[in-house]
Every structure is written in C-alpha cells, then in structure tokens.
Amino acid sequence: MSSTAHDSLFTPLKVGALELPNRVLMAPLTRNRAHADGTPNSLAQTYYRQRASAGLIVSEATQISAMGKGYLDTPGIHEPSHVEGWKKIVEAVHAAGGRIYCQLWHVGRISHTSLLPDGNSPVAPSAIQANAQTYTSEGFVDCSTPKAMSQNDIRQTVEDYAHAARCARDAGFDGVEIHAANGYLIDQFMQDKTNQRDDEYGGSVENRMRFLKEVVEAVKKEWDSKRIGVRLSPLGHANDIEDSERESLFTPVYRYLDDQAFAYLHVVEQFPGNDNDDTQQQLLKTLRSLYHGVYIGNGGYDADSASKLIAQGQADAITFGRPFIANPDLPERFRIGAALNEPDADTFYGGGEAGYTDYPFLDRH
Ligand code: 8OZ
C-alpha cells in the first residue's frame, strides 16, 4: 500500500481550541475496569498514555452522578477520588503529547437497581422498561423498570451535569463530550418511544429537546463552547431507542447544535454488523448537510474509507473504536500501511491488563 494513500488522515485539524496533529481519533470505549466506587483504575493511565498519538482521545463514557451509572465498574466524574484518578490519566496523556476529552454520561433507564445507591430504581423521562440488558455483578440482566423523573429530578440531574463538567475541568481534561447517543438519558428524552411525558419535557420535538438544551446550558457555564463536543446516533436502535419521526426530530437537533459553535459534532453513523440501507444513508446525508462545524464520523471505518470520506469533505475526522483497542499506535500503522492487531472481544469489558494494556506496538527495531 502506498504510504501517501491516507494523507488526508494526517492533515492537522483545528477542533475548537485544539490543534490536532491527525484525524485518527480514539472513540469513547466502555472497558469496565474502574474501581467499584467509580475511581478509574491506575492501569487506565497506561492504557490511555499508550494511545496518546490519537489526534484526540474521547474518554470512555463516564457517569456524571451515582444515578447515572448503568454497568459494572464504569468510571465516574463526580467525586474527589474520581477527579484525582482522572487527573493522573490526563497528565499521562499530556506528557505523551496527546489530548483527551471527557465523555459525560447518564444512562437513564439502562441500569439495574443493584448498580444504584440504596437499590434505587433507574430514572428516565417515562416509566417504561427497556427491552435491553445491562451488565452487573451477577452477569447480564434485564434493565430494571425506571421511575419517571419529576421536574425536581430533572433540575437535580442538570445540576449534576454542571458539577461533573466542573470536575472534568478540575481533572485537567481538554474538553468534554456530551453523550446524547445510543439510547441513554438524553436520547431517551429526545425520542418518543421512551419519552411519553405530558409536561414541557415531552410531546413536541421542541419539548423533547428541552433536556438536551438544559444540559448544554449547564455545561456551557463550566466550559467554553470551543471545548464542548456532542455525540449523537440519529440512526441507532441500541438500548431499545426509537422515534416515530427521526428526520423531524434530528433536523432541529442538528440545527440547534450547529448554532452552538461547539468544538465538534460526533455522529455514530453505523453499528457493527449492521449495514445502513439507502433510506438510512439518505437521512444521514440530509442531516450531515445541516452541520457546518467540525464533523466527526464513527462506525466501522478503516484507513481507506476514513481517508476517502475526509478527502471528499464529508467528514473532518473519524473516531476508531475496536482498531484503537487492539492497536495503541493506530495512527502510525495507518500512516505506513502496517498490518493491524486483531481485537479480542472476550476482553473488551472487564478484567485487567489482558486485552487492555498488552496489545503490542509496531516493532520499530
Ligand atoms: C458498550 C457497552 C456499554 C456501554 C455506548 C457507553 O454505547 C456505551 C457502551 C458501549 O455509548
């Protein structure tokens, strides 16, 4: 393979306040190796430092509050011990010349009573159980039926986002990504299968966007817009999410985010093992045309398809998930056309060093 074939991946890119040396970015990846209290494991310092050659790292999804947790051993960003743990990770990434955003996450109904304080039920816009499973100390279990959030719960949760955003700043992150994708809380408010409220947070598209907007305003109090990104999955069905009118919903969502002058919009465009049909491709394209800032694509890309998309001006950068799990030096491998290590799915979620910090770098002799 010619080493110049992927040039577009190596043109520097300004993303908000940052200058990225390349467009091969690390996707947020849930790895379930944090301590039970949400403090990141010190092994994560090695894991993220090894991947510091990414143009930008987006951290694994990180809960903003104890009620925002939905899986075993995911990290948080709401307690002093979380800030201290992340600070060491951020310092390790910076010392290795990298940049890292914190992905702010609340799972909403995708959780289980055993994962929540005092055995509480998960919270969601409406009390509708997800036809989905989560992972607990007992293994995979059905998600618990959530409690519909009161307006007071909503106010508290928005405040939790602000607090977590402040904690992320204290930890030294370069920015924050608001996780509004994959059927978690913000997505649950936006889409009508999960939001059947009859107050000002439900019903019309404008009402269903209200929670997103309140979260955005809360995060903007703590971070400059140039250091905020948002992740969406307008085609996704993960976690039993659905809307009866996706184009009517996501058109104003994209327009609203376009007006924000954020660092970027990050879109999960495709899901592993699930090719988009023509209607989905068309929707993605229609929505794409509404966003004028930095656009980051995600989902099943390789060096060829990513560099082509960027060369054609359809995306500014691409995040890679599985390839980054298995190849800490992914940008260099793409640059020289080297072979890739294969990811081992058995060690994606949970465990220790195996399948986490032990994937080999290229042997440079
Ligand atoms: C895989 C397993 C658990 C959570 C997402 C945060 O889909 C996740 C996630 C992925 O956004």
Side-chain angles (χ1 to χ4, degrees):
M1 186 186 297
S2 137
S3 63
T4 56
H6 301 141
D7 278 359
S8 66
L9 295 176
F10 298 95
T11 311
L13 175 66
K14 197 168 156 51
V15 174
L18 301 178
E19 185 81 34
L20 312 190
N22 66 61
R23 296 157 186 244
V24 181
L25 317 188
M26 182 171 162
L29 293 161
T30 290
R31 304 304 308 273
N32 307 81
R33 283 164 168 85
H35 296 292
D37 72 348
T39 306
N41 190 314
S42 59
L43 260 185
Q45 296 164 34
T46 306
Y47 166 72
Y48 283 109
R49 175 172 43 74
Q50 287 175 337
R51 289 159 180 77
S53 66
L56 176 68
I57 295 170
V58 182
S59 82
E60 64 207 275
T62 301
Q63 60 262 3
I64 57 144
S65 65
M67 285 303 293
K69 179 177 174 173
Y71 303 84
L72 193 68
D73 297 342
T74 54
I77 185 75
H78 53 91
E79 298 298 329
S81 67
H82 304 165
V83 173
E84 290 313 305
W86 280 113
K87 203 180 263 179
K88 292 186 193 125
I89 294 167
V90 171
E91 280 168 8
V93 168
H94 286 166
R99 295 142 299 278
I100 181 167
Y101 266 44
C102 182
Q103 197 196 43
L104 301 178
W105 188 35
H106 190 305
V107 297
R109 68 177 188 156
I110 305 302
S111 188
H112 187 261
T113 52
S114 69
L115 297 162
L116 298 172
D118 309 318
N120 264 312
S121 297
V123 291
S126 300
I128 305 166
Q129 186 180 16
N131 180 16
Q133 292 202 313
T134 182
Y135 194 78
T136 69
S137 57
E138 307 291 315
F140 283 100
V141 297
D142 290 344
C143 294
S144 305
T145 301
K147 168 177 164 282
M149 292 166 87
S150 66
Q151 295 212 352
N152 218 26
D153 294 332
I154 294 176
R155 263 191 299 278
Q156 180 57 52
T157 306
V158 170
E159 188 39 53
D160 291 343
Y161 270 96
H163 172 71
R166 200 151 55 235
C167 288
R169 219 180 50 211
D170 291 345
F173 279 102
D174 295 295
V176 287
E177 176 174 290
I178 298 171
H179 191 345
N182 297 347
Y184 296 113
L185 185 60
I186 296 174
D187 218 5
Q188 289 161 30
F189 268 95
M190 292 194 297
Q191 304 211 35
D192 60 15
K193 182 174 185 181
T194 42
N195 183 344
Q196 296 182 4
R197 298 178 70 92
D198 54 15
D199 64 359
E200 63 260 42
Y201 292 92
S204 66
V205 166
E206 193 189 334
N207 281 358
R208 285 183 276 130
M209 286 172 64
R210 193 176 309 280
F211 182 67
L212 166 71
K213 290 183 178 181
E214 290 183 358
V215 170
V216 160
E217 288 307 315
V219 173
K220 275 166 65 177
K221 289 200 183 101
E222 306 299 331
W223 286 89
D224 191 279
S225 295
K226 287 185 161 55
R227 292 181 181 273
I228 300 173
V230 175
R231 193 176 211 216
L232 297 175
S233 53
L235 303 183
H237 296 283
N239 293 316
D240 192 25
I241 199 73
E242 189 53 273
D243 193 85
S244 53
E245 282 274 356
R246 285 185 178 229
E247 187 168 346
S248 315
L249 168 63
F250 282 101
T251 296
V253 170
Y254 272 57
R255 288 209 168 107
Y256 163 70
L257 295 174
D258 194 48
D259 285 343
Q260 293 296 318
F262 279 160
Y264 63 80
L265 175 64
H266 184 187
V267 177
V268 186
E269 299 180 333
Q270 197 174 310
F271 296 82
N274 226 341
D275 283 349
N276 294 339
D277 62 25
D278 289 349
T279 315
Q280 289 175 310
Q281 260 333 94
Q282 188 50 48
L283 174 56
L284 211 52
K285 207 170 143 194
T286 303
L287 293 172
R288 170 72 191 94
S289 69
L290 302 173
Y291 196 78
H292 303 93
V294 170
Y295 179 91
I296 303 176
N298 168 263
Y301 286 99
D302 61 16
D304 286 340
S305 57
S307 55
K308 195 167 146 210
L309 201 78
I310 293 169
Q312 291 170 343
Q314 293 175 45
D316 298 293
I318 299 294
T319 55
F320 296 87
R322 290 160 197 227
F324 246 119
I325 288 180
N327 298 275
D329 50 1
L330 190 66
E332 177 66 0
R333 287 178 192 250
F334 281 174
R335 200 179 62 76
I336 67 174
L340 300 183
N341 303 320
E342 283 301 317
D344 166 24
D346 290 344
T347 49
F348 283 173
Y349 308 116
E353 291 178 41
Y356 192 51
T357 51
D358 64 352
Y359 282 105
F361 284 72
L362 283 168
D363 183 0
R364 293 201 195 80
H365 299 291

